[in-house]
Amino acid sequence: MFSGLRRLNQPVCARALAVACLALAFASEAEAQSAPYKFDLGVNLGMSGYIGEANSSNIFKHPGFDGELSFRYIGDTRWAVRGLFSTFGLSGNTADMTDVLPDAASYSFSSQVYDLEVRGEFNFFAYGIGETYKRLRRWSPYITVGVGAALASAGGKTYVAPTLPMGLGFKYKVAERWNLGVEFTMTKAFSDHFDGPDLADLNQIKTAFYKNTDWYSRLTVGISYEFGKRCETCHYVD
């Protein structure tokens, strides 16, 4: 039905990302080191985009504003678990598409989305500042995947659906506790109504539930602060 990035709406995308995560994990297990701090609190700002019935190719054709708060548990210099709350706008217009809808109909929408996610995060390099023998780097690309739920308000109605976020990012440690980062994520929403009630099955072609759903993307920059000093030496008292 659609071309370009709409083709991402396939289960193979999630499988490929999962395989990549496992391969990188086994390759780097021996290099992981404990991180000096256990937690990380951050804020991210950027833009959001939409892929669905009202936009089949240009992911940021109608960009929206995205604001995010994150809390990260730092397992070691390679792995982390991150909770993320985001709010952002989505919009689209079928008049921008090359596809001709039945009866030459035209639709547009705008919606506000509230998204809550839990993600696993894997750094390509041992990330941190410290002794050279630990082979730490103050910068690293990373990969992230998780699960979540989102609420979208569109067309005077509210819709809730589970989500599957997948992304890539880059982080840089400007000081012992301070980090800067940039991140791009694509999220599959298991709903066909995040673009409103009028935009489902525009071509009047019935498809399977897992195919006939919406995607949204986010491109953000952010800053975070680490806290919760981890004790590396255990002082046993009888």
Side-chain angles (χ1 to χ4, degrees):
M1 171 179 169
F2 294 122
S3 59
L5 285 174
R6 186 60 168 170
R7 295 172 186 168
L8 285 172
N9 199 0
Q10 300 291 337
V12 66
C13 183
R15 289 199 299 268
L17 191 58
V19 171
C21 286
L22 289 173
L24 289 169
F26 287 122
S28 64
E29 183 177 358
E31 299 179 17
Q33 303 284 341
S34 62
Y37 297 95
K38 293 183 286 186
F39 307 110
D40 174 292
L41 188 64
V43 60
N44 306 290
L45 299 174
M47 62 180 179
S48 56
Y50 153 84
I51 291 289
E53 281 82 4
N55 180 29
S56 60
S57 57
N58 188 341
I59 201 168
F60 291 117
K61 183 74 173 181
H62 298 277
F65 173 77
D66 174 41
E68 303 177 350
L69 292 175
S70 70
F71 178 82
R72 182 184 283 113
Y73 172 73
I74 306 170
D76 54 39
T77 57
R78 289 278 190 161
W79 286 97
V81 177
R82 186 182 183 194
L84 196 71
F85 175 75
S86 311
T87 181
F88 49 89
L90 299 178
S91 61
N93 193 331
T94 60
D96 300 329
M97 298 167 48
T98 57
D99 292 348
V100 178
L101 300 177
D103 300 322
S106 179
Y107 299 90
S108 63
F109 84 96
S110 63
S111 65
Q112 188 67 29
V113 180
Y114 301 90
D115 183 286
L116 184 64
E117 301 170 351
V118 177
R119 303 182 195 165
E121 192 172 280
F122 173 75
N123 299 323
F124 281 63
F125 304 123
Y127 179 68
I129 297 177
E131 294 83 352
T132 56
Y133 75 89
K134 293 183 177 180
R135 298 182 180 178
L136 299 179
R137 298 195 186 190
R138 64 191 308 162
W139 61 271
S140 178
Y142 65 89
I143 190 170
T144 181
V145 64
V147 294
L151 181 151
S153 177
K157 296 184 178 181
T158 300
Y159 303 94
V160 178
T163 61
L164 179 64
M166 298 166 281
L168 295 169
F170 180 88
K171 59 180 69 171
Y172 177 76
K173 187 171 286 294
V174 294
E176 183 183 8
R177 296 193 183 199
W178 290 96
N179 308 277
L180 295 176
V182 59
E183 183 178 84
F184 174 77
T185 58
M186 285 291 298
T187 301
K188 179 184 178 68
F190 290 89
S191 169
D192 200 32
H193 297 291
F194 275 30
D195 44 17
D198 299 326
L199 284 153
D201 299 325
L202 290 181
N203 286 282
Q204 301 174 12
I205 300 174
K206 295 296 181 180
T207 57
F209 167 75
Y210 67 88
K211 292 183 178 180
N212 197 29
T213 54
D214 298 323
W215 287 78
Y216 52 84
S217 61
R218 285 163 287 172
L219 178 62
T220 62
V221 294
I223 186 169
S224 66
Y225 177 77
E226 296 177 9
F227 62 98
K229 186 74 173 179
R230 179 176 276 114
C231 180
E232 296 185 358
T233 303
C234 180
H235 300 284
Y236 177 76
V237 178
D238 192 355

